[in-house]
mmCIF file of all heavy atoms in Angstrom:
data_model
loop_
_atom_site.group_PDB
_atom_site.id
_atom_site.type_symbol
_atom_site.label_atom_id
_atom_site.label_comp_id
_atom_site.label_asym_id
_atom_site.label_seq_id
_atom_site.Cartn_x
_atom_site.Cartn_y
_atom_site.Cartn_z
ATOM 1 N N ILE A 276 -37.304 17.106 159.177
ATOM 2 C CA ILE A 276 -37.420 17.392 160.609
ATOM 3 C C ILE A 276 -36.028 17.657 161.168
ATOM 4 O O ILE A 276 -35.137 16.801 161.104
ATOM 5 C CB ILE A 276 -38.074 16.204 161.342
ATOM 6 C CG1 ILE A 276 -39.474 15.951 160.785
ATOM 7 C CG2 ILE A 276 -38.123 16.461 162.850
ATOM 8 C CD1 ILE A 276 -40.063 14.612 161.199
ATOM 9 N N THR A 277 -35.811 18.849 161.704
ATOM 10 C CA THR A 277 -34.523 19.194 162.293
ATOM 11 C C THR A 277 -34.532 18.865 163.777
ATOM 12 O O THR A 277 -35.533 19.060 164.470
ATOM 13 C CB THR A 277 -34.212 20.686 162.109
ATOM 14 O OG1 THR A 277 -35.226 21.475 162.739
ATOM 15 C CG2 THR A 277 -34.151 21.046 160.624
ATOM 16 N N THR A 278 -33.408 18.372 164.268
ATOM 17 C CA THR A 278 -33.298 18.077 165.696
ATOM 18 C C THR A 278 -31.894 18.392 166.169
ATOM 19 O O THR A 278 -30.909 18.173 165.459
ATOM 20 C CB THR A 278 -33.667 16.605 165.977
ATOM 21 O OG1 THR A 278 -33.649 16.365 167.390
ATOM 22 C CG2 THR A 278 -32.723 15.639 165.279
ATOM 23 N N TYR A 279 -31.829 18.926 167.383
ATOM 24 C CA TYR A 279 -30.535 19.213 168.013
ATOM 25 C C TYR A 279 -30.720 19.208 169.532
ATOM 26 O O TYR A 279 -31.279 20.144 170.106
ATOM 27 C CB TYR A 279 -29.964 20.552 167.548
ATOM 28 C CG TYR A 279 -28.674 20.916 168.262
ATOM 29 C CD1 TYR A 279 -27.532 20.124 168.085
ATOM 30 C CD2 TYR A 279 -28.606 22.006 169.119
ATOM 31 C CE1 TYR A 279 -26.348 20.425 168.747
ATOM 32 C CE2 TYR A 279 -27.427 22.323 169.777
ATOM 33 C CZ TYR A 279 -26.304 21.524 169.592
ATOM 34 O OH TYR A 279 -25.129 21.816 170.262
ATOM 35 N N ASN A 280 -30.314 18.139 170.144
ATOM 36 C CA ASN A 280 -30.369 17.969 171.599
ATOM 37 C C ASN A 280 -31.777 17.991 172.179
ATOM 38 O O ASN A 280 -31.945 18.195 173.387
ATOM 39 C CB ASN A 280 -29.501 19.024 172.308
ATOM 40 C CG ASN A 280 -28.013 18.740 172.134
ATOM 41 O OD1 ASN A 280 -27.606 17.625 171.801
ATOM 42 N ND2 ASN A 280 -27.198 19.760 172.345
ATOM 43 N N GLN A 281 -32.791 17.812 171.347
ATOM 44 C CA GLN A 281 -34.137 17.677 171.897
ATOM 45 C C GLN A 281 -34.306 16.284 172.507
ATOM 46 O O GLN A 281 -33.580 15.351 172.153
ATOM 47 C CB GLN A 281 -35.204 17.890 170.814
ATOM 48 C CG GLN A 281 -35.547 19.340 170.573
ATOM 49 C CD GLN A 281 -34.753 19.947 169.433
ATOM 50 O OE1 GLN A 281 -33.821 19.319 168.931
ATOM 51 N NE2 GLN A 281 -35.119 21.146 169.013
ATOM 52 N N ASN A 282 -35.278 16.163 173.408
ATOM 53 C CA ASN A 282 -35.595 14.858 173.965
ATOM 54 C C ASN A 282 -36.048 13.922 172.852
ATOM 55 O O ASN A 282 -36.646 14.355 171.862
ATOM 56 C CB ASN A 282 -36.688 14.971 175.023
ATOM 57 C CG ASN A 282 -36.233 15.724 176.246
ATOM 58 O OD1 ASN A 282 -35.044 15.723 176.588
ATOM 59 N ND2 ASN A 282 -37.166 16.381 176.925
ATOM 60 N N ALA A 285 -39.681 14.141 171.706
ATOM 61 C CA ALA A 285 -40.040 15.316 170.899
ATOM 62 C C ALA A 285 -39.835 15.022 169.415
ATOM 63 O O ALA A 285 -40.696 15.324 168.582
ATOM 64 C CB ALA A 285 -39.219 16.523 171.330
ATOM 65 N N THR A 286 -38.695 14.445 169.079
ATOM 66 C CA THR A 286 -38.421 14.121 167.681
ATOM 67 C C THR A 286 -39.360 13.033 167.176
ATOM 68 O O THR A 286 -39.842 13.085 166.034
ATOM 69 C CB THR A 286 -36.959 13.694 167.499
ATOM 70 O OG1 THR A 286 -36.096 14.683 168.065
ATOM 71 C CG2 THR A 286 -36.627 13.523 166.023
ATOM 72 N N VAL A 305 -34.802 13.089 158.606
ATOM 73 C CA VAL A 305 -34.475 13.597 159.936
ATOM 74 C C VAL A 305 -33.057 14.146 159.870
ATOM 75 O O VAL A 305 -32.110 13.396 159.574
ATOM 76 C CB VAL A 305 -34.578 12.501 161.008
ATOM 77 C CG1 VAL A 305 -34.211 13.066 162.387
ATOM 78 C CG2 VAL A 305 -35.985 11.905 161.041
ATOM 79 N N ALA A 306 -32.894 15.440 160.123
ATOM 80 C CA ALA A 306 -31.588 16.092 160.048
ATOM 81 C C ALA A 306 -31.106 16.415 161.455
ATOM 82 O O ALA A 306 -31.568 17.361 162.094
ATOM 83 C CB ALA A 306 -31.676 17.366 159.203
ATOM 84 N N ASP A 307 -30.182 15.602 161.959
ATOM 85 C CA ASP A 307 -29.647 15.757 163.313
ATOM 86 C C ASP A 307 -28.355 16.573 163.238
ATOM 87 O O ASP A 307 -27.360 16.135 162.668
ATOM 88 C CB ASP A 307 -29.380 14.372 163.913
ATOM 89 C CG ASP A 307 -28.837 14.441 165.332
ATOM 90 O OD1 ASP A 307 -28.547 15.548 165.819
ATOM 91 O OD2 ASP A 307 -28.702 13.373 165.957
ATOM 92 N N ASP A 308 -28.379 17.756 163.862
ATOM 93 C CA ASP A 308 -27.237 18.675 163.781
ATOM 94 C C ASP A 308 -26.183 18.336 164.835
ATOM 95 O O ASP A 308 -25.775 19.176 165.622
ATOM 96 C CB ASP A 308 -27.725 20.121 163.946
ATOM 97 C CG ASP A 308 -26.700 21.129 163.460
ATOM 98 O OD1 ASP A 308 -25.744 20.730 162.772
ATOM 99 O OD2 ASP A 308 -26.861 22.330 163.782
ATOM 100 N N HIS A 309 -25.772 17.069 164.838
ATOM 101 C CA HIS A 309 -24.738 16.553 165.740
ATOM 102 C C HIS A 309 -25.137 16.742 167.205
ATOM 103 O O HIS A 309 -24.406 17.345 168.005
ATOM 104 C CB HIS A 309 -23.386 17.216 165.474
ATOM 105 C CG HIS A 309 -22.219 16.444 166.055
ATOM 106 N ND1 HIS A 309 -21.861 15.204 165.597
ATOM 107 C CD2 HIS A 309 -21.364 16.734 167.073
ATOM 108 C CE1 HIS A 309 -20.815 14.774 166.283
ATOM 109 N NE2 HIS A 309 -20.510 15.674 167.195
ATOM 110 N N SER A 310 -26.309 16.193 167.546
ATOM 111 C CA SER A 310 -26.762 16.224 168.933
ATOM 112 C C SER A 310 -25.789 15.461 169.828
ATOM 113 O O SER A 310 -25.058 14.575 169.376
ATOM 114 C CB SER A 310 -28.143 15.576 169.055
ATOM 115 O OG SER A 310 -29.101 16.270 168.285
ATOM 116 N N HIS A 314 -29.585 9.388 168.547
ATOM 117 C CA HIS A 314 -30.792 8.572 168.641
ATOM 118 C C HIS A 314 -31.161 7.931 167.303
ATOM 119 O O HIS A 314 -32.307 7.512 167.114
ATOM 120 C CB HIS A 314 -31.971 9.423 169.123
ATOM 121 C CG HIS A 314 -31.849 9.906 170.538
ATOM 122 N ND1 HIS A 314 -31.664 9.051 171.596
ATOM 123 C CD2 HIS A 314 -31.894 11.154 171.060
ATOM 124 C CE1 HIS A 314 -31.606 9.746 172.725
ATOM 125 N NE2 HIS A 314 -31.735 11.022 172.431
ATOM 126 N N TYR A 318 -34.759 6.245 166.091
ATOM 127 C CA TYR A 318 -35.596 6.767 164.998
ATOM 128 C C TYR A 318 -35.914 5.652 164.003
ATOM 129 O O TYR A 318 -37.062 5.497 163.576
ATOM 130 C CB TYR A 318 -34.880 7.910 164.267
ATOM 131 C CG TYR A 318 -34.488 9.092 165.122
ATOM 132 C CD1 TYR A 318 -33.392 9.880 164.770
ATOM 133 C CD2 TYR A 318 -35.193 9.425 166.268
ATOM 134 C CE1 TYR A 318 -33.016 10.967 165.541
ATOM 135 C CE2 TYR A 318 -34.815 10.511 167.047
ATOM 136 C CZ TYR A 318 -33.715 11.275 166.673
ATOM 137 O OH TYR A 318 -33.337 12.352 167.434
ATOM 138 N N VAL A 333 -30.154 11.677 158.671
ATOM 139 C CA VAL A 333 -28.891 12.353 158.376
ATOM 140 C C VAL A 333 -28.335 12.904 159.685
ATOM 141 O O VAL A 333 -28.927 13.791 160.300
ATOM 142 C CB VAL A 333 -29.088 13.510 157.373
ATOM 143 C CG1 VAL A 333 -27.748 14.176 157.065
ATOM 144 C CG2 VAL A 333 -29.747 13.009 156.097
ATOM 145 N N ASN A 344 -27.687 22.996 158.633
ATOM 146 C CA ASN A 344 -28.232 21.676 158.957
ATOM 147 C C ASN A 344 -29.268 21.272 157.907
ATOM 148 O O ASN A 344 -29.261 20.148 157.406
ATOM 149 C CB ASN A 344 -28.869 21.706 160.347
ATOM 150 C CG ASN A 344 -29.449 20.370 160.768
ATOM 151 O OD1 ASN A 344 -28.989 19.317 160.346
ATOM 152 N ND2 ASN A 344 -30.482 20.416 161.589
ATOM 153 N N PHE A 360 -39.650 21.451 159.582
ATOM 154 C CA PHE A 360 -40.091 21.870 160.911
ATOM 155 C C PHE A 360 -39.217 21.195 161.950
ATOM 156 O O PHE A 360 -38.493 20.238 161.660
ATOM 157 C CB PHE A 360 -41.577 21.582 161.146
ATOM 158 C CG PHE A 360 -42.025 20.160 160.966
ATOM 159 C CD1 PHE A 360 -42.317 19.353 162.053
ATOM 160 C CD2 PHE A 360 -42.185 19.618 159.689
ATOM 161 C CE1 PHE A 360 -42.754 18.057 161.883
ATOM 162 C CE2 PHE A 360 -42.623 18.319 159.516
ATOM 163 C CZ PHE A 360 -42.898 17.525 160.615
ATOM 164 N N GLY A 361 -39.263 21.722 163.175
ATOM 165 C CA GLY A 361 -38.346 21.278 164.201
ATOM 166 C C GLY A 361 -38.916 20.209 165.112
ATOM 167 O O GLY A 361 -40.137 20.041 165.235
ATOM 168 N N ALA A 362 -38.030 19.472 165.766
ATOM 169 C CA ALA A 362 -38.436 18.445 166.708
ATOM 170 C C ALA A 362 -39.322 19.056 167.789
ATOM 171 O O ALA A 362 -39.010 20.102 168.353
ATOM 172 C CB ALA A 362 -37.209 17.802 167.338
#
Side-chain angles (χ1 to χ4, degrees):
I276 300 166
T277 60
T278 184
Y279 176 65
N280 287 341
Q281 276 95 351
N282 293 331
T286 308
V305 179
D307 181 353
D308 197 14
H309 198 66
S310 299
H314 293 304
Y318 302 152
V333 181
N344 181 28
F360 56 105

